[in-house]
Amino acid sequence: MESLSSQEFPGAGRPPEEGQPAAGSRCWVVARQLLAAVLLLGLSLGSPVLLVYLLRSCGPGACDSPACRALLARALASRNASASAAPCADFFSFACGEARGSRDPFQALAEENKRRLRGILETLGSQQPGSGEEQAFRFYSSCMDTDAIEAAGAGPLRQVIEELGGWRISGNWTSLDFNRTLRLLMSQYDHFPFFKAYLGPHPTPPHEPVIQIDQPEFDVPFKQEQEQKIYAQNMREYLAYLNRLGTLLGGDPDEVQEHASMSISIASQLVQFLRPLAQRRAQGKPFQVVTIDQLQPLCPSSKELAPAIDWLSCLQATFTPMSLSSSQLVVVHDLDFLKHMSRLVEDQLQNHRDFLQSHMIFSLVGTLSPALDSQFQKARRELSGKLRELTEQPPLPAHQQWLKCVEETGTFFEPTLEPLFVREVFSPGTRSAAMELFTAIKDALVARLRRLPWMDEETRKKAQDRVTQLQVKMGPPEQAPEPALVGQEYNDIHLGPSFLQSFLSGVRARRARIARGFLQPFPRHRWQVSPWGLSAHYSVSDHVLVFPAGLLQPPFFHPGYPRAVNFGAAGSIMARELLHIFSQLLLPGGCPACDTHALQEALLCLEGHYAAFPPPGRAPFNGSHTFLEDAADVGALAIALQAYNKRLLWRRGEATLPNLDLSPQQLFFLSYAQVMCRELSTQESRDTHSPPILRVHGPLSSTPAFARHFHCPHGTLLNPSRHCQLW
């Protein structure tokens, strides 16, 4: 077959059987060789008849490589080709008719990547003692030693609680300094019960790394656009979970109940202080830059900020080895939240110091549950399962110890495992083919920017320059770190005597590694994505877009796939990530020089277009907070299709998949849709994407070429009378 790789990079890193052209492609090679002679001979020799014969006989070839056979099996297993799943009426059912939660392609690929990582970890036992590979093997082995973890029981966790001062429900509590406990939680346990602090690029140019203070995360959804009945059920389940934790740690049931109820009350009050990002943007304050001494002022008249927290001490301990001072600038995402949070903490310290301590312990136990014995893990899984059931989400996959252990080992030993994983799954030929695909997508975006009616010339020129100047990384960094530097990453990881202690040592070492990375000039730390992960990452500070090796795998991408598959699946993913760079332009005030009337018309068209679809699921769907992702979905499909059509114009003999009875263009749209195949369920409140059925039907119905290639009658769901073009 003639794959993207075989066209652009002959023989680059491909197995021999996948580098052979299909019959149709060989025919086109012959046709090209004869074309020059045909043109020279002219009409006198009847050459047009010969040319027409060659063109008609050189149809697309069928791809029969192992990679294509596996892709075909997946497509046939997922696709619903019955008459009831008419592509023009419901393409999601046509492409994903048999899809259920377990067939989510991202979940399946994530698990496959972890299986590969598991195979690597289980072969590292013979490495040099003290090396990163040997430590990774020992950590993974201790995680898999469930007998030892069960034998230790709650003992290691009780030791942690005692180091934090204990808590009243266990009968051994010392009323220590609140900020001492908070400092330990942040620096030693990577736990933030009242706010979240992390290192990230500054929101404005030149995007230098800076400490950011954001809203906290919560174990359960606290009354976010929920019905009162569901909210009450959530709280009952969460209370039962906290009661179970306290009982497992030896607390008296009545006292546990009281402290668990107060912990939920504290969390509920914190939630009331939160302001959504959209609201902060509308008020012109999506973030504020302040100094540490402004958060914790020495002047009593300035106590309206957040004086309950010893910010300098807590942040310095958390981000060691960085050297901080009271004049250090930090980015605060919601200063009003910090003010209210500080007052709540001060009130609790004056009246209920023991309840405040219990709240911090309860939330810490939840964070540490993956490293605890089966009773704690089971309690956590059952809580998650019940909460998902209440919100009509699909159940979680069955618990597998190896999967949890691979995830944790990968988190703590990523610098060592990265080259081993990439060497196994990402050949130079795969990288070259992926770069060629991205170049085609990038060129298509530049071309589309020239035709946007709402974009002014200056903004258009800047946008085109940003696209052309963008760096892209496929797989791992080109420069691997020095072995000596990799070895230094693990000097602070001390394994044993319990798995919890090994886990906490890994937590501390990883946090220190991140802080050291931000002090180094080499921007390796800004990748923020593991090689076996599935999320692309854009580094705004370096203007670099990263696609990890784990994402550029079957079923989304393979050098031996037909181009229709690579452009429809991986190409649309790449285009979506490119458009995210320009999402700010679509926000109010994001493009002052643009034609705001034309832009608003395009946005309203898109909003009305999505609102016309039947609501997915039983609960009403509010698409107002998904419009940025909707715009990216529609634009990504248009860009990927334009890039694919250009390749077809210059490269004939497109390969197909046998037994699907689909043209190359139809295969392109099928591949796009099957990226979205997953269970139809109610959206999580924080999900900024539309439900999967809308992510398929919205873009396809905005693409006239889809209706043309599937012969959809005018006026059907996926061939409406009006189409929207935003990108």
Side-chain angles (χ1 to χ4, degrees), residues 139-168:
F139 181 90
Y140 174 75
S141 299
S142 65
C143 180
M144 292 293 290
D145 188 357
T146 54
D147 289 342
I149 294 174
E150 293 301 311
L157 179 58
R158 289 195 184 98
Q159 182 180 345
V160 167
I161 293 173
E162 288 178 8
E163 291 171 357
L164 293 170
W167 58 350
R168 189 176 295 282

PDB file of all heavy atoms in Angstrom, residues 139-168:
ATOM      1  N   PHE A 139      10.238  -0.264  43.319  1.00  0.00           N
ATOM      2  CA  PHE A 139       9.018   0.445  43.699  1.00  0.00           C
ATOM      3  C   PHE A 139       7.796  -0.285  43.143  1.00  0.00           C
ATOM      4  O   PHE A 139       6.809  -0.503  43.863  1.00  0.00           O
ATOM      5  CB  PHE A 139       9.066   1.886  43.182  1.00  0.00           C
ATOM      6  CG  PHE A 139       7.852   2.691  43.545  1.00  0.00           C
ATOM      7  CD1 PHE A 139       7.812   3.409  44.730  1.00  0.00           C
ATOM      8  CD2 PHE A 139       6.742   2.736  42.703  1.00  0.00           C
ATOM      9  CE1 PHE A 139       6.686   4.148  45.080  1.00  0.00           C
ATOM     10  CE2 PHE A 139       5.612   3.465  43.041  1.00  0.00           C
ATOM     11  CZ  PHE A 139       5.589   4.174  44.228  1.00  0.00           C
ATOM     12  N   TYR A 140       7.846  -0.655  41.871  1.00  0.00           N
ATOM     13  CA  TYR A 140       6.733  -1.367  41.253  1.00  0.00           C
ATOM     14  C   TYR A 140       6.477  -2.689  41.974  1.00  0.00           C
ATOM     15  O   TYR A 140       5.325  -3.054  42.242  1.00  0.00           O
ATOM     16  CB  TYR A 140       7.038  -1.603  39.772  1.00  0.00           C
ATOM     17  CG  TYR A 140       6.017  -2.453  39.060  1.00  0.00           C
ATOM     18  CD1 TYR A 140       4.772  -1.939  38.698  1.00  0.00           C
ATOM     19  CD2 TYR A 140       6.290  -3.787  38.755  1.00  0.00           C
ATOM     20  CE1 TYR A 140       3.833  -2.729  38.052  1.00  0.00           C
ATOM     21  CE2 TYR A 140       5.351  -4.575  38.103  1.00  0.00           C
ATOM     22  CZ  TYR A 140       4.129  -4.046  37.763  1.00  0.00           C
ATOM     23  OH  TYR A 140       3.199  -4.831  37.124  1.00  0.00           O
ATOM     24  N   SER A 141       7.539  -3.396  42.310  1.00  0.00           N
ATOM     25  CA  SER A 141       7.391  -4.691  42.984  1.00  0.00           C
ATOM     26  C   SER A 141       6.763  -4.529  44.361  1.00  0.00           C
ATOM     27  O   SER A 141       5.912  -5.338  44.769  1.00  0.00           O
ATOM     28  CB  SER A 141       8.747  -5.385  43.100  1.00  0.00           C
ATOM     29  OG  SER A 141       9.292  -5.634  41.819  1.00  0.00           O
ATOM     30  N   SER A 142       7.165  -3.485  45.097  1.00  0.00           N
ATOM     31  CA  SER A 142       6.587  -3.269  46.424  1.00  0.00           C
ATOM     32  C   SER A 142       5.114  -2.887  46.320  1.00  0.00           C
ATOM     33  O   SER A 142       4.304  -3.236  47.177  1.00  0.00           O
ATOM     34  CB  SER A 142       7.361  -2.190  47.179  1.00  0.00           C
ATOM     35  OG  SER A 142       7.234  -0.932  46.545  1.00  0.00           O
ATOM     36  N   CYS A 143       4.743  -2.172  45.240  1.00  0.00           N
ATOM     37  CA  CYS A 143       3.340  -1.836  45.030  1.00  0.00           C
ATOM     38  C   CYS A 143       2.523  -3.091  44.725  1.00  0.00           C
ATOM     39  O   CYS A 143       1.369  -3.215  45.152  1.00  0.00           O
ATOM     40  CB  CYS A 143       3.218  -0.827  43.884  1.00  0.00           C
ATOM     41  SG  CYS A 143       1.523  -0.319  43.511  1.00  0.00           S
ATOM     42  N   MET A 144       3.121  -4.018  44.006  1.00  0.00           N
ATOM     43  CA  MET A 144       2.420  -5.256  43.650  1.00  0.00           C
ATOM     44  C   MET A 144       2.386  -6.257  44.799  1.00  0.00           C
ATOM     45  O   MET A 144       1.630  -7.230  44.736  1.00  0.00           O
ATOM     46  CB  MET A 144       3.108  -5.893  42.434  1.00  0.00           C
ATOM     47  CG  MET A 144       2.951  -5.099  41.152  1.00  0.00           C
ATOM     48  SD  MET A 144       1.237  -5.050  40.559  1.00  0.00           S
ATOM     49  CE  MET A 144       1.027  -6.757  40.026  1.00  0.00           C
ATOM     50  N   ASP A 145       3.167  -6.015  45.841  1.00  0.00           N
ATOM     51  CA  ASP A 145       3.215  -6.937  46.978  1.00  0.00           C
ATOM     52  C   ASP A 145       2.043  -6.634  47.905  1.00  0.00           C
ATOM     53  O   ASP A 145       2.195  -6.039  48.982  1.00  0.00           O
ATOM     54  CB  ASP A 145       4.553  -6.787  47.713  1.00  0.00           C
ATOM     55  CG  ASP A 145       4.753  -7.856  48.775  1.00  0.00           C
ATOM     56  OD1 ASP A 145       3.823  -8.678  48.989  1.00  0.00           O
ATOM     57  OD2 ASP A 145       5.836  -7.876  49.397  1.00  0.00           O
ATOM     58  N   THR A 146       0.864  -7.051  47.517  1.00  0.00           N
ATOM     59  CA  THR A 146      -0.339  -6.728  48.287  1.00  0.00           C
ATOM     60  C   THR A 146      -0.351  -7.434  49.637  1.00  0.00           C
ATOM     61  O   THR A 146      -0.972  -6.929  50.591  1.00  0.00           O
ATOM     62  CB  THR A 146      -1.593  -7.113  47.492  1.00  0.00           C
ATOM     63  OG1 THR A 146      -1.495  -8.488  47.098  1.00  0.00           O
ATOM     64  CG2 THR A 146      -1.727  -6.251  46.250  1.00  0.00           C
ATOM     65  N   ASP A 147       0.331  -8.566  49.756  1.00  0.00           N
ATOM     66  CA  ASP A 147       0.373  -9.249  51.055  1.00  0.00           C
ATOM     67  C   ASP A 147       1.048  -8.369  52.099  1.00  0.00           C
ATOM     68  O   ASP A 147       0.577  -8.248  53.242  1.00  0.00           O
ATOM     69  CB  ASP A 147       1.112 -10.585  50.919  1.00  0.00           C
ATOM     70  CG  ASP A 147       0.318 -11.618  50.132  1.00  0.00           C
ATOM     71  OD1 ASP A 147      -0.910 -11.441  49.996  1.00  0.00           O
ATOM     72  OD2 ASP A 147       0.924 -12.589  49.644  1.00  0.00           O
ATOM     73  N   ALA A 148       2.173  -7.744  51.707  1.00  0.00           N
ATOM     74  CA  ALA A 148       2.880  -6.868  52.643  1.00  0.00           C
ATOM     75  C   ALA A 148       2.052  -5.631  52.973  1.00  0.00           C
ATOM     76  O   ALA A 148       2.029  -5.170  54.130  1.00  0.00           O
ATOM     77  CB  ALA A 148       4.230  -6.467  52.057  1.00  0.00           C
ATOM     78  N   ILE A 149       1.371  -5.077  51.972  1.00  0.00           N
ATOM     79  CA  ILE A 149       0.546  -3.888  52.212  1.00  0.00           C
ATOM     80  C   ILE A 149      -0.607  -4.220  53.155  1.00  0.00           C
ATOM     81  O   ILE A 149      -0.919  -3.453  54.079  1.00  0.00           O
ATOM     82  CB  ILE A 149       0.019  -3.340  50.870  1.00  0.00           C
ATOM     83  CG1 ILE A 149       1.185  -2.831  50.011  1.00  0.00           C
ATOM     84  CG2 ILE A 149      -0.989  -2.209  51.101  1.00  0.00           C
ATOM     85  CD1 ILE A 149       0.787  -2.404  48.605  1.00  0.00           C
ATOM     86  N   GLU A 150      -1.230  -5.385  52.961  1.00  0.00           N
ATOM     87  CA  GLU A 150      -2.333  -5.790  53.841  1.00  0.00           C
ATOM     88  C   GLU A 150      -1.834  -6.060  55.253  1.00  0.00           C
ATOM     89  O   GLU A 150      -2.509  -5.738  56.232  1.00  0.00           O
ATOM     90  CB  GLU A 150      -3.014  -7.039  53.279  1.00  0.00           C
ATOM     91  CG  GLU A 150      -3.742  -6.824  51.963  1.00  0.00           C
ATOM     92  CD  GLU A 150      -4.824  -5.764  52.066  1.00  0.00           C
ATOM     93  OE1 GLU A 150      -5.629  -5.834  53.014  1.00  0.00           O
ATOM     94  OE2 GLU A 150      -4.823  -4.854  51.219  1.00  0.00           O
ATOM     95  N   ALA A 151      -0.639  -6.656  55.369  1.00  0.00           N
ATOM     96  CA  ALA A 151      -0.096  -6.960  56.695  1.00  0.00           C
ATOM     97  C   ALA A 151       0.180  -5.686  57.480  1.00  0.00           C
ATOM     98  O   ALA A 151      -0.010  -5.636  58.704  1.00  0.00           O
ATOM     99  CB  ALA A 151       1.177  -7.796  56.551  1.00  0.00           C
ATOM    100  N   ALA A 152       0.620  -4.614  56.775  1.00  0.00           N
ATOM    101  CA  ALA A 152       0.892  -3.343  57.459  1.00  0.00           C
ATOM    102  C   ALA A 152      -0.392  -2.664  57.898  1.00  0.00           C
ATOM    103  O   ALA A 152      -0.421  -1.935  58.898  1.00  0.00           O
ATOM    104  CB  ALA A 152       1.693  -2.426  56.539  1.00  0.00           C
ATOM    105  N   GLY A 153      -1.488  -2.887  57.161  1.00  0.00           N
ATOM    106  CA  GLY A 153      -2.783  -2.326  57.525  1.00  0.00           C
ATOM    107  C   GLY A 153      -2.757  -0.812  57.610  1.00  0.00           C
ATOM    108  O   GLY A 153      -2.142  -0.124  56.790  1.00  0.00           O
ATOM    109  N   ALA A 154      -3.418  -0.272  58.622  1.00  0.00           N
ATOM    110  CA  ALA A 154      -3.512   1.177  58.801  1.00  0.00           C
ATOM    111  C   ALA A 154      -2.347   1.736  59.597  1.00  0.00           C
ATOM    112  O   ALA A 154      -2.299   2.953  59.819  1.00  0.00           O
ATOM    113  CB  ALA A 154      -4.827   1.521  59.496  1.00  0.00           C
ATOM    114  N   GLY A 155      -1.396   0.885  60.002  1.00  0.00           N
ATOM    115  CA  GLY A 155      -0.284   1.359  60.819  1.00  0.00           C
ATOM    116  C   GLY A 155       0.503   2.491  60.187  1.00  0.00           C
ATOM    117  O   GLY A 155       0.733   3.536  60.837  1.00  0.00           O
ATOM    118  N   PRO A 156       0.982   2.383  58.923  1.00  0.00           N
ATOM    119  CA  PRO A 156       1.735   3.487  58.312  1.00  0.00           C
ATOM    120  C   PRO A 156       0.933   4.785  58.232  1.00  0.00           C
ATOM    121  O   PRO A 156       1.494   5.869  58.398  1.00  0.00           O
ATOM    122  CB  PRO A 156       2.066   2.943  56.915  1.00  0.00           C
ATOM    123  CG  PRO A 156       2.052   1.461  57.069  1.00  0.00           C
ATOM    124  CD  PRO A 156       0.969   1.184  58.068  1.00  0.00           C
ATOM    125  N   LEU A 157      -0.382   4.680  57.999  1.00  0.00           N
ATOM    126  CA  LEU A 157      -1.199   5.886  57.922  1.00  0.00           C
ATOM    127  C   LEU A 157      -1.334   6.527  59.302  1.00  0.00           C
ATOM    128  O   LEU A 157      -1.291   7.767  59.421  1.00  0.00           O
ATOM    129  CB  LEU A 157      -2.574   5.550  57.351  1.00  0.00           C
ATOM    130  CG  LEU A 157      -3.561   6.709  57.233  1.00  0.00           C
ATOM    131  CD1 LEU A 157      -3.000   7.831  56.374  1.00  0.00           C
ATOM    132  CD2 LEU A 157      -4.900   6.222  56.664  1.00  0.00           C
ATOM    133  N   ARG A 158      -1.502   5.713  60.341  1.00  0.00           N
ATOM    134  CA  ARG A 158      -1.584   6.282  61.695  1.00  0.00           C
ATOM    135  C   ARG A 158      -0.297   7.023  62.044  1.00  0.00           C
ATOM    136  O   ARG A 158      -0.325   8.062  62.724  1.00  0.00           O
ATOM    137  CB  ARG A 158      -1.840   5.174  62.715  1.00  0.00           C
ATOM    138  CG  ARG A 158      -3.245   4.573  62.637  1.00  0.00           C
ATOM    139  CD  ARG A 158      -3.542   3.757  63.876  1.00  0.00           C
ATOM    140  NE  ARG A 158      -4.843   3.102  63.798  1.00  0.00           N
ATOM    141  CZ  ARG A 158      -5.030   1.835  63.439  1.00  0.00           C
ATOM    142  NH1 ARG A 158      -3.972   1.076  63.139  1.00  0.00           N
ATOM    143  NH2 ARG A 158      -6.245   1.325  63.379  1.00  0.00           N
ATOM    144  N   GLN A 159       0.835   6.516  61.590  1.00  0.00           N
ATOM    145  CA  GLN A 159       2.114   7.185  61.846  1.00  0.00           C
ATOM    146  C   GLN A 159       2.142   8.558  61.179  1.00  0.00           C
ATOM    147  O   GLN A 159       2.621   9.539  61.764  1.00  0.00           O
ATOM    148  CB  GLN A 159       3.263   6.321  61.334  1.00  0.00           C
ATOM    149  CG  GLN A 159       4.646   6.920  61.596  1.00  0.00           C
ATOM    150  CD  GLN A 159       5.771   6.022  61.074  1.00  0.00           C
ATOM    151  OE1 GLN A 159       5.545   4.845  60.777  1.00  0.00           O
ATOM    152  NE2 GLN A 159       6.947   6.589  60.945  1.00  0.00           N
ATOM    153  N   VAL A 160       1.627   8.643  59.953  1.00  0.00           N
ATOM    154  CA  VAL A 160       1.561   9.934  59.259  1.00  0.00           C
ATOM    155  C   VAL A 160       0.686  10.906  60.036  1.00  0.00           C
ATOM    156  O   VAL A 160       1.036  12.082  60.219  1.00  0.00           O
ATOM    157  CB  VAL A 160       1.007   9.737  57.824  1.00  0.00           C
ATOM    158  CG1 VAL A 160       0.618  11.073  57.200  1.00  0.00           C
ATOM    159  CG2 VAL A 160       2.028   9.021  56.956  1.00  0.00           C
ATOM    160  N   ILE A 161      -0.460  10.434  60.512  1.00  0.00           N
ATOM    161  CA  ILE A 161      -1.379  11.310  61.243  1.00  0.00           C
ATOM    162  C   ILE A 161      -0.746  11.803  62.531  1.00  0.00           C
ATOM    163  O   ILE A 161      -0.898  12.972  62.919  1.00  0.00           O
ATOM    164  CB  ILE A 161      -2.700  10.562  61.512  1.00  0.00           C
ATOM    165  CG1 ILE A 161      -3.431  10.293  60.196  1.00  0.00           C
ATOM    166  CG2 ILE A 161      -3.593  11.366  62.455  1.00  0.00           C
ATOM    167  CD1 ILE A 161      -4.664   9.423  60.341  1.00  0.00           C
ATOM    168  N   GLU A 162       0.003  10.949  63.202  1.00  0.00           N
ATOM    169  CA  GLU A 162       0.686  11.378  64.424  1.00  0.00           C
ATOM    170  C   GLU A 162       1.721  12.454  64.120  1.00  0.00           C
ATOM    171  O   GLU A 162       1.900  13.410  64.888  1.00  0.00           O
ATOM    172  CB  GLU A 162       1.345  10.177  65.096  1.00  0.00           C
ATOM    173  CG  GLU A 162       0.350   9.223  65.739  1.00  0.00           C
ATOM    174  CD  GLU A 162       1.033   8.016  66.357  1.00  0.00           C
ATOM    175  OE1 GLU A 162       2.285   8.020  66.416  1.00  0.00           O
ATOM    176  OE2 GLU A 162       0.330   7.075  66.768  1.00  0.00           O
ATOM    177  N   GLU A 163       2.432  12.321  62.998  1.00  0.00           N
ATOM    178  CA  GLU A 163       3.421  13.340  62.629  1.00  0.00           C
ATOM    179  C   GLU A 163       2.770  14.686  62.364  1.00  0.00           C
ATOM    180  O   GLU A 163       3.396  15.739  62.513  1.00  0.00           O
ATOM    181  CB  GLU A 163       4.187  12.880  61.382  1.00  0.00           C
ATOM    182  CG  GLU A 163       5.100  11.688  61.624  1.00  0.00           C
ATOM    183  CD  GLU A 163       5.682  11.125  60.341  1.00  0.00           C
ATOM    184  OE1 GLU A 163       5.312  11.638  59.255  1.00  0.00           O
ATOM    185  OE2 GLU A 163       6.492  10.181  60.411  1.00  0.00           O
ATOM    186  N   LEU A 164       1.490  14.653  61.977  1.00  0.00           N
ATOM    187  CA  LEU A 164       0.756  15.892  61.732  1.00  0.00           C
ATOM    188  C   LEU A 164       0.070  16.421  62.988  1.00  0.00           C
ATOM    189  O   LEU A 164      -0.630  17.435  62.923  1.00  0.00           O
ATOM    190  CB  LEU A 164      -0.304  15.657  60.646  1.00  0.00           C
ATOM    191  CG  LEU A 164       0.235  15.354  59.243  1.00  0.00           C
ATOM    192  CD1 LEU A 164      -0.888  14.894  58.326  1.00  0.00           C
ATOM    193  CD2 LEU A 164       0.922  16.581  58.655  1.00  0.00           C
ATOM    194  N   GLY A 165       0.249  15.753  64.113  1.00  0.00           N
ATOM    195  CA  GLY A 165      -0.345  16.198  65.361  1.00  0.00           C
ATOM    196  C   GLY A 165      -1.526  15.374  65.810  1.00  0.00           C
ATOM    197  O   GLY A 165      -2.152  15.677  66.822  1.00  0.00           O
ATOM    198  N   GLY A 166      -1.870  14.319  65.017  1.00  0.00           N
ATOM    199  CA  GLY A 166      -2.991  13.474  65.383  1.00  0.00           C
ATOM    200  C   GLY A 166      -4.323  14.171  65.159  1.00  0.00           C
ATOM    201  O   GLY A 166      -4.395  15.268  64.609  1.00  0.00           O
ATOM    202  N   TRP A 167      -5.409  13.525  65.606  1.00  0.00           N
ATOM    203  CA  TRP A 167      -6.716  14.170  65.578  1.00  0.00           C
ATOM    204  C   TRP A 167      -7.568  13.607  66.707  1.00  0.00           C
ATOM    205  O   TRP A 167      -7.331  12.521  67.225  1.00  0.00           O
ATOM    206  CB  TRP A 167      -7.389  14.051  64.218  1.00  0.00           C
ATOM    207  CG  TRP A 167      -7.620  12.645  63.698  1.00  0.00           C
ATOM    208  CD1 TRP A 167      -7.143  11.482  64.204  1.00  0.00           C
ATOM    209  CD2 TRP A 167      -8.375  12.299  62.543  1.00  0.00           C
ATOM    210  NE1 TRP A 167      -7.551  10.428  63.443  1.00  0.00           N
ATOM    211  CE2 TRP A 167      -8.312  10.891  62.410  1.00  0.00           C
ATOM    212  CE3 TRP A 167      -9.102  13.019  61.601  1.00  0.00           C
ATOM    213  CZ2 TRP A 167      -8.947  10.203  61.382  1.00  0.00           C
ATOM    214  CZ3 TRP A 167      -9.733  12.321  60.585  1.00  0.00           C
ATOM    215  CH2 TRP A 167      -9.650  10.944  60.478  1.00  0.00           C
ATOM    216  N   ARG A 168      -8.562  14.363  67.104  1.00  0.00           N
ATOM    217  CA  ARG A 168      -9.279  14.074  68.326  1.00  0.00           C
ATOM    218  C   ARG A 168     -10.013  12.733  68.269  1.00  0.00           C
ATOM    219  O   ARG A 168     -10.138  12.035  69.287  1.00  0.00           O
ATOM    220  CB  ARG A 168     -10.272  15.203  68.638  1.00  0.00           C
ATOM    221  CG  ARG A 168     -10.901  15.078  70.024  1.00  0.00           C
ATOM    222  CD  ARG A 168     -11.793  16.255  70.338  1.00  0.00           C
ATOM    223  NE  ARG A 168     -11.063  17.505  70.429  1.00  0.00           N
ATOM    224  CZ  ARG A 168     -10.331  17.885  71.481  1.00  0.00           C
ATOM    225  NH1 ARG A 168     -10.231  17.087  72.526  1.00  0.00           N
ATOM    226  NH2 ARG A 168      -9.718  19.041  71.493  1.00  0.00           N
TER     227      ARG A 168
END
